[in-house]
Amino acid sequence: MSHPEKSCEDPTMPPALRVSGLSKSFVVHAHGDLALPVLHDVSLAVSPGECLALVGPSGAGKSTLLRSLYGNYRADAGSIRVRQDDAWTELVGAEPRTVLDVRHRTMGFVSQFLRVIPRVAAVDVVAEPLLRRGVEATEASHRAEFLLGMLGIPARLWALPPATFSGGEQQRINIARSLIVDYPILLLDEPTASLDAANRDGVVELICQRRDAGAAVVGIFHDTGVRDAVATRIHEVLPPASPAGAPPCVAKPS
Amino acid sequence: MSAATLPSPLLSARNITKRFGGRIACHNVNFDLWPGEVLGIVGESGSGKTTLLNCLAGRLTPDAGSVIYETASAGTVDIHRLSEARRRLLTRTEWGFVNQDAREGLRMGVSAGANIGERLMAVGARHYGEIRGSAADWLARVEIDADRLDDRPTTFSGGMRQRLQIARNLVSGPRLVFMDEPTGGLDVSVQARILDLLRGLVERLHLSAVLVTHDLGVARLLTHRLMVMQGGAVIEEGLTDQVLDDPQHAYTQMLVASILPV
């Protein structure tokens, strides 16, 4: 790939994630193969210790971009490369097991909503990524309980399946599950959307800790207070119809 | 993990085609199953998914194509070129098969303990006390009370029978398990219990599995990768969450759009 680099990356720190020429459209076959272009020629790079905030109007494709980075949506063209084992792993067009390996070891994702698993206790939902990495069960539970405590989930809820929890509680379970592993790359889709102020501050604190410990973070944060607290750079996502006028990244106003 | 260090596939299907009379049940199916991977085959009734599963598991002979399996100690074999005796031995010792109807996968005339113990004896266990101990342990793992060990499955509920069938299949430590609609025909609460059980066992035992289901919720919960079948052909495949959240083919889009929200 010899795409010209247009990003504002720090030359002393090689990026953890590098995207170039990414395009994505949806084709709805039930409506006469209607094509909905969403992303066109997106390029960005994120280094360890950076938090890139995706901004843009509703419908501009911020979530689509984030989901494409995670391999949840299939890119039409371009490149998404992830730094892993001191080498680049290309995710566009990769085999499913390559994407799963990157998700297992390198890239975590916090979605807006928890996908509830019937009958599984909150503490086990959170501990699962650790168990998958071979951490012993008691140790995994202890770490899950610690994180749940930090996020303000009362201990009486830990043994219950989260299906009946409030939206804010479910979201914190989701965050705990994704942050229990020290992923080098974190993708966050509105991680504080349904949280009250106290719980929001707890989540902001956790994200900042991860960022400062060297995680490369990309996120959507509608709350400007949260964005100001966690983001080190802004990336503007333009609606599909508008002309590509703005630079792909601008310094965060302080 | 670089490509060079990845293990070889556990199971490879090459150009599998099966006809019933003039009707094509599955056509030219190809895939590799990797160790530790759970592959889902989804599609509507009549799409050919169960026929494909039976061809993979050596229960039906395909009209064309081969099924290559990496055995535990004897290298790779073509399942449909083995002698009947070798294939039976292999399926008993290295594979499991969970039927939709537990009555087809259990021996209804013998006790629950015997149903589990029989599998252990097939792989060489001879010590009665140990076999009984393992049977009791597996009953507990599938959440059946130990005092039901000597009862016949005819006295069990549908959900209990299915859990017993799972125990019978997993007690011998198979490397590969085939599942045909393992939660089909069960009440949703019973289904949730079995899904939870299967999910835990697959994870803990690092099982490789091929799962046929028409239920996309089951597929999302249990599988890493999906193949979507229509009219005997695989029309779309990929990561499970990607196929379900960003379906490309018109038929897959229709399937995903047909899920009733709760």
Side-chain angles (χ1 to χ4, degrees):
Chain A
M1 282 285 178
S2 58
H3 280 288
E5 288 296 321
K6 299 188 289 182
S7 61
C8 322
E9 69 192 56
D10 178 353
T12 61
M13 181 73 89
L17 174 70
R18 180 172 278 180
V19 178
S20 60
L22 183 68
S23 295
K24 169 69 188 164
S25 56
F26 295 93
V27 178
V28 188
H29 293 292
H31 293 270
D33 295 350
L34 175 72
L36 301 168
V38 181
L39 303 175
H40 177 69
D41 197 18
V42 174
S43 297
L44 57 86
V46 195
S47 294
E50 277 196 306
C51 175
L52 188 67
L54 305 179
V55 300
S58 197
K62 302 184 293 295
S63 281
T64 297
L65 173 54
L66 213 54
R67 286 172 176 273
S68 299
L69 298 183
Y70 198 56
N72 179 223
Y73 288 172
R74 196 186 319 208
D76 301 332
S79 162
I80 299 167
R81 281 173 298 163
V82 164
R83 199 77 186 157
Q84 186 168 269
D85 302 331
D86 292 324
W88 291 108
T89 298
E90 173 64 60
L91 293 185
V92 175
E95 289 286 323
R97 63 203 173 101
T98 304
V99 179
L100 288 175
D101 179 51
V102 166
R103 288 181 184 179
H104 176 62
R105 297 193 295 139
T106 305
M107 192 153 65
F109 185 84
V110 178
S111 59
Q112 282 190 54
F113 304 102
L114 178 69
R115 198 173 281 286
V116 176
I117 305 162
R119 290 199 353 139
V120 182
V123 65
D124 295 331
V125 171
V126 174
E128 194 176 74
L130 284 183
L131 295 174
R132 250 183 227 163
R133 298 172 148 231
V135 174
E136 188 268 323
T138 325
E139 164 71 11
S141 292
H142 284 325
R143 281 162 68 178
E145 287 168 1
F146 177 75
L147 207 49
L148 286 169
M150 268 185 78
L151 288 167
I153 303 288
R156 64 189 157 79
L157 296 182
W158 296 351
L160 301 179
T164 55
F165 291 10
S166 73
E169 284 161 352
Q170 290 196 3
Q171 189 166 33
R172 280 176 282 151
I173 301 294
N174 217 8
I175 291 165
R177 178 183 160 93
S178 303
L179 294 187
I180 197 161
V181 169
D182 287 325
Y183 293 108
I185 301 172
L186 269 180
L187 308 176
L188 311 172
D189 191 354
E190 287 280 11
T192 59
S194 42
L195 302 185
D196 60 30
N199 286 316
R200 189 185 58 214
D201 292 346
V203 172
V204 165
E205 175 60 30
L206 268 179
I207 296 170
C208 289
Q209 274 179 21
R210 278 303 154 79
R211 180 199 63 198
D212 295 343
V217 185
V218 184
I220 303 169
F221 315 97
H222 278 153
D223 183 317
T224 49
V226 171
R227 189 193 302 156
D228 289 344
V230 300
T232 57
R233 253 194 315 138
I234 300 291
H235 177 95
E236 206 168 342
V237 180
L238 300 169
S242 62
C249 58
V250 294
K252 179 193 164 198
S254 48
Chain B
M1 223 186 305
S2 70
T5 62
L6 285 169
S8 51
L10 189 62
L11 189 80
S12 296
R14 291 289 172 266
N15 307 311
I16 300 287
T17 296
K18 177 72 183 173
R19 294 182 198 87
F20 293 115
R23 196 171 60 82
I24 290 179
C26 66
H27 180 66
N28 213 15
V29 176
N30 287 281
F31 70 86
D32 291 319
L33 180 78
W34 301 87
E37 193 173 48
V38 181
L39 172 70
I41 305 174
V42 298
E44 292 172 309
S45 303
S47 59
K49 50 193 195 305
T50 294
T51 299
L52 174 61
L53 190 75
N54 286 327
C55 287
L56 297 172
R59 297 180 155 204
L60 269 180
T61 308
D63 295 314
S66 51
V67 178
I68 311 296
Y69 172 70
E70 172 93 41
T71 61
S73 54
T76 58
V77 293
D78 182 341
I79 292 303
H80 295 286
R81 287 175 190 275
L82 291 177
S83 68
E84 182 64 30
R86 272 286 319 270
R87 184 161 60 234
R88 257 202 222 137
L89 179 69
L90 182 77
T91 56
R92 264 208 318 265
T93 53
E94 298 196 19
W95 290 4
F97 196 107
V98 177
N99 291 280
Q100 172 173 2
D101 185 346
R103 284 172 301 188
E104 287 174 25
L106 291 172
R107 290 221 292 134
M108 299 302 283
V110 303
S111 71
N115 263 287
I116 300 177
E118 196 175 55
R119 273 302 286 246
L120 284 173
M121 293 180 74
V123 294
R126 289 292 176 265
H127 188 284
Y128 177 76
E130 283 171 11
I131 292 172
R132 198 173 160 81
S134 294
D137 174 49
W138 267 91
L139 274 192
R141 290 172 81 163
V142 297
E143 304 173 23
I144 296 176
D145 285 340
D147 62 9
R148 303 300 302 269
L149 190 64
D150 297 317
D151 294 347
R152 292 180 182 185
T154 44
T155 66
F156 286 11
S157 68
M160 281 170 74
R161 284 181 194 168
Q162 195 56 293
R163 281 180 274 136
L164 180 61
Q165 190 192 188
I166 290 166
R168 174 179 160 97
N169 270 281
L170 298 187
V171 66
S172 53
R175 304 171 73 224
L176 174 59
V177 180
F178 298 96
M179 295 186 260
D180 188 5
E181 302 274 12
T183 59
L186 298 170
D187 289 344
V188 281
S189 59
V190 178
Q191 213 182 76
R193 192 169 181 182
I194 290 184
L195 286 175
D196 177 27
L197 181 76
L198 279 175
R199 215 175 139 267
L201 290 172
V202 162
E203 192 100 338
R204 274 195 292 283
L205 305 174
H206 199 63
L207 279 181
S208 306
V210 182
L211 166 84
V212 159
T213 180
H214 69 278
D215 185 329
L216 299 183
V218 170
R220 190 186 288 268
L221 211 55
L222 290 181
T223 69
H224 301 117
R225 195 152 65 88
L226 277 189
M227 295 199 311
V228 184
M229 289 188 76
Q230 182 193 27
V234 175
I235 51 150
E236 180 161 357
E237 59 187 309
L239 272 177
T240 296
D241 63 81
Q242 183 257 304
V243 170
L244 296 179
D245 294 338
D246 185 17
Q248 311 283 311
H249 192 279
Y251 178 72
T252 317
Q253 290 187 356
M254 186 276 291
L255 279 184
V256 171
S258 305
I259 303 172
L260 291 174
V262 179

